[in-house]
Every structure is written in structure tokens, then in C-alpha cells.
Amino acid sequence: MQIFDLATADLEFVAEVEARSHQKIRTCYQCGNCTAGCPYTFAYDYSVSQIMRLIQTGQKEAVLKSRSLWLCGSCQSCTTRCPNKIDVALVMDVCRHMAREAGYATERSVKIFADSFLASVERHGRAYELGLMAAYMTRSGRVFTDVDLAPQALMRGKLPFKPHQIQGREQVARIFERFRKGGDNV
Ligand code: SF4
Ligand code: SF4
């Protein structure tokens, strides 16, 4: 069992997570409901309720270096189960952003997929599946990931060879531009 030294509590970290998520982390009383409903607990290094406790106790490094942040599927099950109405999924999301900013990406392939997805949306106004797949494979080096599913997807018209032209593509690109100008959360 890992032991954390409460004397190293980073209270600024606690305040920042609360400010950015608009959630009162201190009201979590460790009932464990969020963890009980989380479909990815089996793969996490810290369960979602443990992440909440680590935040409460200001364990910034442990939280931001956690694999759990990158494996979270944002399914909201934890949020709907919390008796204190804490938006736990949002807290996970905020911590994931903070981990990115701090240069931690413990699950590199998840980060590469997220980056490739966002680049595709920025360029085409929506995700272009085939281009996204190609970008992910090139950047991650995982050439054979899910390739066996491609023939079925192609037959069902789920992988068009050209991106769909959508209206408002420029507006979507401007959202990305504004985001880059307005903050350092990239
Ligand atoms: S949002 Fe993330 S942490 Fe919450 S239950 Fe779903 S996978 Fe687990
Ligand atoms: S469900 Fe809410 S109160 Fe219970 S452990 Fe999770 S975050 Fe804390």
C-alpha cells in the first residue's frame, strides 16, 4: 500500500481543481459510490474515489501522474451516483487537462488519439474517420490497431474515402483559434 505524507499537501492544487471544476471536492465523504459504478476501475491505478481523496489531501503529483485520468471514459456514471452531487466526471476531466499542461501523459496512445481527433475536427469541422485512423496509426506506430474491423466498417459505409463537407467548417476552426488565443489549456 502506498503511503502519502499529508505534510506535503499542496493546498493550491486543491483550490485550483475546485476553481476550475466549480465543484466542492471537500464535501466528498468517501462513500465509494463513484468507484462502485465506474466501468474502468479494474484498469485504474487509483480508483475514482481514491483520486477524489488524493485531491482533497493535495497530492498533486500522484493525481496528475495517474493512469486513471487517461483511462476514464467520461461516461458520467460517477457523477450520477454521487450523493453529494459532485460532478466527479468533470473533476476527472479538469485533472486530465491539468496533467496535459504539466506535461504528464501517462497513457501516450490515449493522448495521441485525442490530439488526432481534435486535429481532424479542426480541419474538417467534424471527425473524418479514415483520416483520423491514418493520423493515429502514423503518430502512434500502432499500425494494426483495429484494422480487422475496417472491412466491415467500409462495407457499411462507415469509413468514407473523403471527408464530409459540413456547413460552418470555418466557424469550428475559429473556435480552435479562439481557444488557443484565450488560454494555455492546449
Ligand atoms: S466518468 Fe470516468 S471515472 Fe467516472 S465512472 Fe465513467 S469512466 Fe469512471
Ligand atoms: S460518490 Fe461522491 S461522495 Fe462518494 S466517494 Fe465518490 S465523489 Fe465522494
Side-chain angles (χ1 to χ4, degrees):
M1 187 203 294
Q2 195 171 350
I3 295 173
F4 293 95
D5 182 359
L6 293 185
T8 64
D10 182 339
L11 298 181
E12 278 180 26
F13 171 65
V14 186
E16 188 176 351
V17 176
E18 288 207 328
R20 288 174 67 158
S21 66
H22 305 287
Q23 304 301 307
K24 288 187 181 149
I25 313 278
R26 72 201 87 146
T27 61
C28 166
Y29 48 45
Q30 289 290 294
C31 68
N33 271 355
C34 50
T35 295
C38 176
Y40 294 114
T41 297
F42 73 94
Y44 281 5
D45 47 1
Y46 300 115
S47 68
V48 60
S49 53
Q50 285 174 331
I51 292 278
M52 293 298 285
R53 188 71 181 134
L54 287 170
I55 299 170
Q56 282 180 326
T57 53
Q59 302 302 313
K60 182 176 179 179
E61 287 277 300
V63 173
L64 298 190
K65 286 184 175 173
S66 167
R67 292 183 67 213
S68 310
L69 301 180
W70 296 91
L71 299 175
C72 166
S74 301
C75 70
Q76 310 274 326
S77 170
C78 48
T79 297
T80 56
R81 284 171 176 245
C82 179
N84 284 326
K85 301 194 185 329
I86 302 171
D87 191 341
V88 191
L90 177 60
V91 173
M92 292 292 275
D93 206 27
V94 163
C95 290
R96 195 160 45 240
H97 280 276
M98 290 174 72
R100 275 183 80 116
E101 289 161 19
Y104 301 130
T106 46
E107 291 297 309
R108 187 174 161 269
S109 57
V110 177
K111 181 179 181 296
I112 290 173
F113 183 82
D115 290 344
S116 305
F117 177 84
L118 289 171
S120 182
V121 173
E122 181 172 8
R123 187 156 181 208
H124 305 294
R126 51 156 287 175
Y128 166 44
E129 296 86 350
L130 210 54
L132 169 58
M133 243 171 86
Y136 173 70
M137 285 173 169
T138 310
R139 295 165 80 181
S140 67
R142 297 180 66 180
V143 179
F144 297 108
T145 305
D146 294 335
V147 161
D148 53 327
L149 298 173
Q152 283 181 42
L154 280 168
M155 275 170 57
R156 292 181 189 185
K158 302 286 183 196
L159 283 179
F161 288 106
K162 283 185 177 171
H164 293 290
Q165 291 304 323
I166 68 150
Q167 289 183 345
R169 197 154 48 97
E170 296 74 21
Q171 283 96 320
V172 174
R174 278 207 291 278
I175 292 172
F176 281 87
E177 203 182 309
R178 272 208 315 273
F179 178 69
R180 290 213 178 84
K181 279 187 190 156
D184 50 8
N185 298 347
V186 183

